[in-house]
Amino acid sequence: MGLSGIIEGSLPIGGLSSSASVIICFLSALCKVNDIHMEPMELILTAKAAENQYVGVSCGKLDQSCEVLSKRNHLLYLDTKDDSYELIPTSEAMKSYKIGIFFSGLERSLKNSKYNLRQDECKAAAYALMGYADLNYGTFAEARLRDVPYEVFVAYKDRLPELWCRRAEHFYSEFARAEKGAELWRKGDLEGYGQLVFESGQSSIYSYECGCDELKKLYEIMRETDGIYGGRFSGAEFKGCCMALIDPDKVEDIEAKVTEKYLKAFPGLEGKYSFYVCESADGVRV
């Protein structure tokens, strides 16, 4: 049985895992009307296959996993290699926070961005490193930096083309930040966690080389704004949104300062740029 549906939402389109959200939503509804039960990982992988094989985006399963597995007031700590995950509750010792969404005013299509190219550059770096280290490897499509020990990267990184080396640097530093971030969240260290998010944004700009001028400017403004604990590009990072963990008591000041500075830099985006405040929520439900 098919279905007809209407999509409504209060957040902007672009840069907020919106494609994964729509696919997961329709897939869940389709299962509901046909009395089909899908386990969480079946739902995640089916949605991923739709993006990979139909839309043509070489994405992983992070966005889909967040849509399905997340829980309100918890941090999802996910290992996409074996699909193990942990929901880390927000510590009672942690300062209160909300999530600020800064929409650049620019929508984007991942299929036509450099998203797929960055995937290929990471695969190329992994394939080359495995060859230099005489590691067992399969096809190019199967190559993953996750399967290359960091020690191998350190030993052979000087042999890589500069661009491939920078892409790999981004991967390994992001991996380390994810592990450290989980520990800081457990401790309730919001400032420390936020600093890691800022560092992630910096690496995305300089090592992974993604983001447009507008998103980079938003990132710079966020770093200079009191009351923002940490922030970076969201989604696939070439256009769309920036997100930030913000002090609830300073929302109005944050909105005013970021908006003023951003529109001063890009006055043509007035009426398109927007700011939202939200909180974490449970995953998909029908």
Side-chain angles (χ1 to χ4, degrees):
M1 181 185 297
L3 62 89
S4 297
I6 297 174
I7 301 173
E8 290 184 323
S10 57
L11 293 175
I13 295 176
L16 291 174
S17 306
S18 50
S19 57
S21 301
V22 170
I23 294 172
I24 291 286
C25 179
F26 269 101
L27 185 56
S28 299
L30 194 61
C31 288
K32 179 74 172 181
V33 299
N34 287 281
D35 197 27
I36 296 172
H37 174 73
M38 297 185 75
E39 295 294 333
M41 193 49 60
E42 289 182 282
L43 191 61
I44 290 166
L45 293 179
T46 301
K48 176 180 178 294
E51 296 233 42
N52 294 162
Q53 300 172 25
Y54 181 75
V55 180
V57 177
S58 300
C59 66
K61 50 193 169 185
L62 175 61
D63 287 2
Q64 296 81 3
S65 298
C66 290
E67 304 289 354
V68 174
L69 301 175
S70 292
K71 185 177 179 181
R72 181 180 175 83
N73 293 326
H74 286 69
L75 177 75
L76 175 63
Y77 182 45
L78 171 71
D79 188 333
T80 56
K81 185 174 184 178
D82 61 10
D83 299 325
S84 62
Y85 69 95
E86 179 184 0
L87 289 165
I88 306 174
T90 300
S91 170
E92 293 182 359
M94 186 179 286
K95 291 182 178 180
S96 61
Y97 71 91
K98 289 188 181 295
I99 301 170
I101 304 295
F102 304 88
F103 177 50
S104 66
L106 301 174
E107 298 180 8
R108 56 91 180 96
S109 168
L110 293 190
K111 184 178 179 181
N112 298 320
S113 74
K114 294 182 180 180
Y115 181 86
N116 287 353
L117 176 60
R118 293 293 180 270
Q119 293 281 311
D120 287 342
E121 290 167 341
C122 287
K123 288 179 181 294
Y127 214 54
L129 289 168
M130 287 188 286
Y132 291 142
D134 199 25
L135 299 176
N136 291 327
Y137 57 86
T139 65
F140 179 81
E142 298 169 335
R144 300 286 188 278
L145 283 168
R146 180 65 188 278
D147 296 324
V148 180
Y150 178 67
E151 294 74 19
V152 170
F153 170 66
V154 173
Y156 297 101
K157 66 178 182 179
D158 290 342
R159 298 191 188 185
L160 294 175
E162 182 183 353
L163 284 181
W164 296 3
C165 184
R166 293 215 304 268
R167 307 304 182 246
E169 285 276 12
H170 176 67
F171 167 80
Y172 288 111
S173 64
E174 285 283 78
F175 192 93
R177 280 188 286 271
E179 292 189 314
K180 184 177 180 181
E183 292 305 315
L184 291 176
W185 195 270
R186 288 190 182 93
K187 296 176 182 177
D189 186 353
L190 185 59
E191 288 91 347
Y193 185 88
Q195 183 58 38
L196 290 179
V197 179
F198 274 141
E199 291 174 9
S200 176
Q202 186 85 351
S203 181
S204 291
I205 292 172
Y206 293 103
S207 293
Y208 210 58
E209 290 186 286
C210 57
C212 56
D213 290 342
E214 291 82 359
L215 284 182
K216 292 175 185 177
K217 185 63 177 180
L218 271 175
Y219 170 79
E220 293 171 2
I221 294 170
M222 289 193 304
R223 294 207 73 156
E224 300 168 351
T225 302
D226 182 48
I228 297 183
Y229 297 112
R232 56 154 296 133
F233 306 151
S234 179
E237 308 166 351
F238 291 94
K239 292 183 182 178
C241 296
C242 285
M243 58 74 62
L245 299 171
I246 62 177
D247 184 342
D249 295 330
K250 298 180 179 179
V251 169
E252 292 184 3
D253 285 344
I254 290 170
E255 178 179 10
K257 290 177 181 177
V258 174
T259 300
E260 179 186 3
K261 291 181 180 180
Y262 181 68
L263 292 181
K264 183 178 180 180
F266 299 100
L269 291 174
E270 186 165 3
K272 297 180 181 180
Y273 162 83
S274 50
F275 172 72
Y276 307 82
V277 178
C278 55
E279 299 179 6
S280 63
D282 293 337
V284 64
R285 59 189 182 275
V286 179

